[in-house]
Amino acid sequence: MTTPVLFDVPGPRARARIRIGTVVGALLVLAIVAFVLVRLGGNGQLEGQRWAVLFDPNTNVPQRLFEALLRTLRVALVAMVIATALGLLLAVARLSDHRWLRLPVSAVIEFFRAIPLLVVIFALYFVLPGFGIRLSTYAALTAGLVLYNMAVIAEIVRAGILSVDRGQRDAALAVGMRKSQVMSLVLLPQAVRRMLPILIAQLVVLLKDSSLGFIIGYFELLRQARSLVEYFTPRFGNDYTFQLYVAAALMYIVVNVLLSQLAKLVERRTRRNARTAAAAAPALLDDGSSTGGQVV
Amino acid sequence: MQFFSDNLPLLRDAFLTTLGLSLLSGLLALVLGTLLAAMRVSPVPPLRGLATFYVETFRNTPLTVVFFFIIFGLPQIDFVVSFFVGAVVSVGMYTAAFVAEALRSGINAVGPGQAEAARAIGLTFGQSLREVVLPQAFRTVVPPLGNVWIAMVKNTSIAAGFATTELAATLPRLANANAGDILLILLAVVVGYMLITVPSAYGIHHIERRVAILR
């Protein structure tokens, strides 16, 4: 919670006003909840039998959703590992002393940060076949996530490397290390350690973005929910539509909140560490949206 | 070049759809996000709770899922909206959470002395927020809000998956019909987005320099 700089420690009259505000606010919240529940109830969306389908193994629904969650997590994990590796390379290359290396790498990074991820995925899935390369939906989605996120991660890591104290580099050079040794033994380990919370936060973004697989037809969580809906509709109409989407959304939210908590935990632990505490990680890229990150 | 003369109207309309979608969602996100930020710093606990719940939920839900609820979920409770309006609402509501977060950090960055001084001369919570704190907060958060805006412009591409013919949606559509000009199509779409994002980035930079507060 933010520190209340905007209002004083309330006196009796302010307390009375806040109490009134609390009651009105609570009524407002209740009214919203009640409105939604009444609308849902009026359409029979709250019947227990409609929700039971989510937990009844005989319908195969829980298994299917769980498998789809695993597929979503697999895409995200594979993409994250490859994107991190490539991102590290690109970050180092962008900081290179050699102009012929620095300029093209900068161009690649800026390009992939400037266009929507969905366009990258579409390009891989619809444009590459024109050149005889046909990717599966899984490969197109993963490759799109890798290309986009390697650019974002490269910028995160670059910010991390630049935030390492200059003296570290000078000292490493002074004891006779080569430039590559300075980078791999001194700068990168500190940068990655410092950037770990942001990297984990980026995993949340990546996981959310894997839902774009739905649009090209990869069977991730959302597509699975949609397919179950389509499977049920001929027999039961819209009976389970709402419930299945709610289930998919809740699965995303739970996994993402857990990841965010992990990021916070790691951040606290690195803060406690005296060596990394000196410079808090710059608050970079936490706009968390699927195409987060700065352009230009 | 035959390709461009044939498809120019489609590409132009798609570009205008992306632009309109961005502007309308941006407006919705700004209004709703400001409201949410004000609720999060208000002295009234239920409003704080509601805003926190909103922000955390939307930040942890994929935009695609938000689209699902607006496009396919709302009809379940008897609201039917067109695909375009649905896209504006989805992108706007999603982005509002990020606007609120950016603004809240801006509000926290306003010196406590400012709020104290506002209270000392007898302004109420609403007045000090409106007249003293928010104007300064907005000026501080121009860069992060700019990032949110650019991310949002790119996010509007997801409407392609929900029957809105904006820029990204033209890619698969034209790719099937004009296999030979496929790179041109890709180029046109990419340039279309850059026509919005690159000038935006310069504009944001310009505004940032003009309104920056030296502390």
Side-chain angles (χ1 to χ4, degrees):
Chain A
M1 208 54 247
T2 55
T3 44
V5 292
L6 285 167
F7 41 88
D8 272 310
V9 176
R13 273 172 63 194
R15 271 206 300 275
R17 269 207 304 276
I18 290 175
R19 262 200 301 277
I20 294 170
T22 303
V23 171
V24 172
L27 285 178
L28 178 80
V29 173
L30 282 178
I32 296 174
V33 173
F35 174 75
V36 172
L37 287 181
V38 165
R39 275 291 179 104
L40 289 176
N43 289 331
Q45 296 290 5
L46 298 179
E47 286 160 25
Q49 158 259 338
R50 286 196 178 187
W51 292 94
V53 74
L54 296 177
F55 304 100
D56 182 2
N58 295 326
T59 58
N60 243 344
V61 168
Q63 292 96 318
R64 292 276 189 82
L65 286 178
F66 184 68
E67 284 160 17
L69 177 66
L70 290 185
R71 277 195 296 271
T72 286
L73 291 176
R74 190 180 65 167
V75 168
L77 204 65
V78 170
M80 189 65 183
V81 169
I82 303 176
T84 307
L86 290 176
L88 284 173
L89 281 178
L90 288 183
V92 172
R94 195 173 185 179
L95 289 170
S96 158
D97 290 336
H98 305 291
R99 186 194 269 270
W100 58 266
L101 183 59
R102 197 172 58 221
L103 290 186
V105 166
S106 305
V108 167
I109 292 175
E110 291 306 332
F111 177 76
F112 283 111
R113 292 203 313 157
I115 56 175
L117 174 58
L118 186 62
V119 171
V120 179
I121 295 174
F122 273 178
L124 292 168
Y125 193 63
F126 294 107
V127 175
L128 278 188
F131 301 91
I133 305 167
R134 209 164 284 279
L135 294 182
S136 67
T137 51
Y138 170 72
L141 176 64
T142 313
L145 287 170
V146 165
L147 286 174
Y148 179 75
N149 285 284
M150 73 176 189
V152 176
I153 290 171
E155 285 303 277
I156 294 175
V157 174
R158 188 171 73 113
I161 293 174
L162 289 177
S163 78
V164 175
D165 216 43
R166 235 199 107 72
Q168 297 279 330
R169 184 169 161 270
D170 293 343
L173 285 171
V175 298
M177 285 188 178
R178 271 180 276 114
K179 276 192 294 186
S180 60
Q181 286 177 315
V182 175
M183 184 57 80
S184 60
L185 297 177
V186 179
L187 297 182
L188 265 187
Q190 299 190 59
V192 170
R193 191 111 144 274
R194 198 171 284 183
M195 289 295 144
L196 205 53
I198 304 179
L199 283 174
I200 297 174
Q202 187 60 26
L203 186 56
V204 174
V205 177
L206 200 150
L207 195 76
K208 290 201 299 179
D209 285 350
S210 69
S211 68
L212 290 178
F214 158 76
I215 296 173
I216 57 168
Y218 176 66
F219 250 75
E220 44 68 70
L221 189 49
L222 197 57
R223 186 86 203 175
Q224 180 67 72
R226 180 81 185 143
S227 134
L228 284 169
V229 166
E230 279 159 4
Y231 172 74
F232 281 128
T233 303
R235 288 188 288 166
F236 305 106
N238 272 331
D239 275 13
Y240 300 111
T241 307
F242 182 73
Q243 287 72 10
L244 284 164
Y245 293 155
V246 168
L250 281 180
M251 288 165 93
Y252 273 112
I253 292 171
V254 167
V255 173
N256 285 334
V257 168
L258 287 178
L259 275 174
S260 304
Q261 293 305 318
L262 180 67
K264 275 187 196 140
L265 189 79
V266 170
E267 193 173 355
R268 265 204 306 277
R269 294 196 65 148
T270 43
R271 281 259 169 78
R272 233 185 287 146
N273 189 324
R275 269 178 302 173
T276 50
L284 234 202
L285 293 169
D286 194 27
D287 62 349
S289 43
S290 74
T291 42
Q294 297 101 321
V295 177
V296 179
Chain B
M1 285 302 105
Q2 176 67 23
F3 160 76
F4 273 114
S5 48
D6 287 352
N7 294 299
L8 199 59
L10 176 66
L11 283 170
R12 189 197 54 213
D13 288 350
F15 174 76
L16 290 178
T17 306
T18 291
L19 189 62
L21 190 55
S22 302
L23 291 175
L24 290 174
S25 318
L27 194 65
L28 175 63
L30 195 62
V31 173
L32 192 57
T34 309
L35 199 66
L36 285 167
M39 280 165 72
R40 279 197 88 167
V41 297
S42 87
V44 182
L47 294 185
R48 279 205 305 259
L50 182 64
T52 308
F53 174 76
Y54 182 101
V55 169
E56 287 304 314
T57 310
F58 275 83
R59 264 161 49 103
N60 286 306
T61 311
L63 178 54
T64 330
V65 173
V66 178
F67 262 96
F68 254 81
F69 273 93
I70 301 293
I71 303 278
F72 302 118
L74 276 189
Q76 304 295 315
I77 52 170
D78 302 330
F79 286 108
V80 180
V81 292
S82 76
F83 283 116
F84 182 78
V85 173
V88 169
V89 173
S90 306
V91 177
M93 286 181 73
Y94 177 82
T95 311
F98 297 96
V99 171
E101 278 297 278
L103 264 183
R104 191 168 65 105
S105 71
I107 292 174
N108 286 337
V110 174
Q114 294 285 331
E116 279 166 13
R119 291 202 310 264
I121 59 172
L123 299 186
T124 63
F125 169 74
Q127 281 171 332
S128 58
L129 198 60
R130 261 196 321 274
E131 308 287 338
V132 179
V133 176
L134 268 185
Q136 297 187 58
F138 266 114
R139 293 165 70 162
T140 328
V141 295
V142 168
L145 272 189
N147 291 335
V148 171
W149 158 257
I150 287 174
M152 193 205 73
V153 171
K154 294 189 286 170
N155 273 335
T156 59
S157 63
I158 293 177
F162 299 87
T164 305
T165 313
E166 43 67 80
L167 272 175
T170 58
L171 194 56
R173 201 163 136 179
L174 290 176
N176 288 333
N178 310 272
D181 295 314
I182 227 157
L183 280 181
L184 280 180
I185 302 164
L186 186 59
L187 191 70
V189 171
V190 168
V191 168
Y193 279 104
M194 287 183 162
L195 277 180
I196 305 178
T197 53
V198 174
S200 295
Y202 278 102
I204 292 156
H205 204 65
H206 183 70
I207 299 173
E208 182 192 337
R209 260 179 321 182
R210 289 202 49 182
V211 302
I213 307 168
L214 296 176
R215 291 208 175 88

